[in-house]
Amino acid sequence: MAVLVFAESTEGTFKKATREAVYFASKIAETIGKELITLVMGTVADDQLAGLGKVGAGKVLHVNDSRFDRFDSGAFAKAVAEVAGKVQAQVVVMPFSANGKALGPRLSARLKAGIVPGAISLPETNGAFVVKKSVFSGKAIAHFVIKTPVKIISLNPNSIQVTTVDKTATVEPITVSVQDSDFKVQVIGQEKEAQGVPLPEAEIVVSGGRGLKGPENWGMIEELAKVLGAATACSRAVSDVHWRPHHEHVGQTGLTIRPNLYIAIAISGAIQHLAGVSGSKYIVVINNDPEAPFFKYADYGIVGDAFEVVPKLTAAFKKYFESNN
């Protein structure tokens, strides 16, 4: 019996969400007294695989098959299910990423396993196996009991704090009985986002709304983000009028993010937008309307004109970092 974590790789590396999932799985294994086994599929260098030991991995099983360099939920589900059976996995963990969202339900059907997507904390294991997740756009916390022998959990990014250790994982090859016909998805092209901090991975996010009046004013958002090492985001209204690309849209119909710090500039705080950012650890709101709904959810707020406040804030941060470096 074991805890199996699917460590999703991207172009031979592991993103923060994957490292969090491995650490999360290691804590579950520790709690229920089972071995942790980490599964990696696709082309990944040995040092990257061994490096997963820093976030809790002990044994890494590597399916070194280049067909898994591109994600196909059907083929991946078949492979993960096969390995889960071989290691007699009692709990299967994966990141709640775009790929994890596609993989989880297929794997649940194959393993006849209960699944909780988007967990936000370690499960309770005294008696029942209880998993918590946010519901109703982050307004409530639901407690789900998984009763099936095999349990699947995907972890919401930025839900736990990872503590690294000075350790390397052991790596063992493993093969799976997946045929070429199992890969149904054909990738005909790729468009990569511009360089910078990927929004789902960002610890700090600076976001703007329609109150900025036009795309020509976005320079101050980008400058503040650059000073803070942050990613930039926007409301749906902004992406709908093409001031900013759609991949920066956060909210109910865009990305859901959980950064440590979310700075909302000239965004009123509609419920649809809050649904995508309410999991942020700290929220700072800058708006010239003191009645803006966003202030009700803010940890800190500044009532003022963004065109006056943001440049002063950027200058203050620059001065602080320069004096502390």
Side-chain angles (χ1 to χ4, degrees):
M1 305 290 278
V3 173
L4 177 69
V5 55
F6 167 60
E8 177 185 349
S9 62
T10 305
E11 297 182 342
T13 61
F14 300 106
K15 292 187 174 182
K16 180 185 172 191
T18 293
R19 296 193 295 274
E20 290 175 342
V22 174
Y23 181 78
F24 178 77
S26 75
K27 293 303 173 187
I28 295 176
E30 187 178 300
T31 301
I32 65 176
K34 303 296 180 185
E35 181 185 11
L36 172 66
I37 295 176
T38 303
L39 173 63
V40 178
M41 299 192 292
T43 307
V44 182
D46 287 344
D47 61 333
Q48 289 283 331
L49 297 169
L52 289 173
K54 292 181 178 178
V55 290
K59 180 194 291 186
V60 174
L61 299 180
H62 183 206
V63 181
N64 191 6
D65 185 334
S66 61
R67 292 178 299 175
F68 290 104
D69 290 349
R70 299 281 175 81
F71 183 75
D72 182 306
S73 60
F76 271 66
K78 184 177 180 180
V80 176
E82 182 179 327
V83 175
K86 286 179 179 176
V87 303
Q88 296 183 296
Q90 182 177 339
V91 181
V92 180
V93 176
M94 66 192 70
F96 191 52
S97 59
N99 291 346
K101 291 174 185 177
L103 173 62
R106 282 182 176 270
L107 193 59
S108 173
R110 280 187 172 273
L111 296 176
K112 295 182 170 45
I115 178 172
V116 176
I120 59 172
S121 64
L122 286 167
E124 298 172 13
T125 56
N126 292 327
F129 194 92
V130 183
V131 183
K132 291 195 294 185
K133 67 169 289 185
S134 297
V135 295
F136 300 123
S137 301
K139 289 185 174 180
I141 302 295
H143 297 244
F144 292 90
V145 178
I146 306 180
K147 297 181 178 179
T148 51
V150 179
K151 302 160 179 58
I152 300 174
I153 308 172
S154 59
L155 177 68
N156 234 345
N158 283 337
S159 293
I160 59 170
Q161 184 67 41
V162 174
T163 302
T164 59
V165 295
D166 187 15
K167 174 185 161 187
T168 56
T170 60
V171 181
E172 297 180 10
I174 188 172
T175 58
V176 291
S177 55
V178 176
Q179 310 302 318
D180 287 345
S181 58
D182 292 316
F183 291 85
K184 308 293 186 186
V185 176
Q186 181 183 8
V187 179
I188 58 175
Q190 278 186 303
E191 290 186 14
K192 294 188 177 183
E193 296 178 10
Q195 295 295 318
V197 183
L199 193 48
E201 301 279 313
E203 299 279 354
I204 304 173
V205 174
V206 180
S207 187
R210 282 292 294 270
L212 291 174
K213 300 179 181 178
E216 67 276 10
N217 295 319
W218 223 260
M220 66 179 186
I221 299 293
E222 293 172 326
E223 186 176 2
L224 177 56
K226 183 178 179 182
V227 170
L228 294 175
T232 58
C234 67
S235 64
R236 177 177 175 173
V238 166
S239 65
D240 279 353
V241 295
H242 307 296
W243 290 1
R244 299 299 295 174
H246 181 68
H247 69 256
E248 289 192 4
H249 165 207
V250 293
Q252 195 166 37
T253 54
L255 289 174
T256 297
I257 57 174
R258 300 171 61 86
N260 288 331
L261 175 61
Y262 183 74
I263 303 176
I265 300 170
I267 301 175
S268 63
I271 190 67
Q272 294 88 351
H273 185 78
L274 288 167
V277 303
S278 59
S280 304
K281 190 171 183 179
Y282 295 104
I283 295 176
V284 175
V285 172
I286 301 171
N287 201 299
N288 61 4
D289 178 6
E291 301 299 323
F294 222 151
F295 282 118
K296 295 178 183 176
Y297 303 91
D299 296 284
Y300 302 94
I302 300 174
V303 178
D305 187 337
F307 296 99
E308 296 178 5
V309 174
V310 174
K312 291 179 180 177
L313 198 58
T314 302
F317 278 125
K318 279 183 179 177
K319 184 178 180 181
Y320 172 81
F321 289 130
E322 287 169 0
S323 62
N324 286 277
N325 286 333

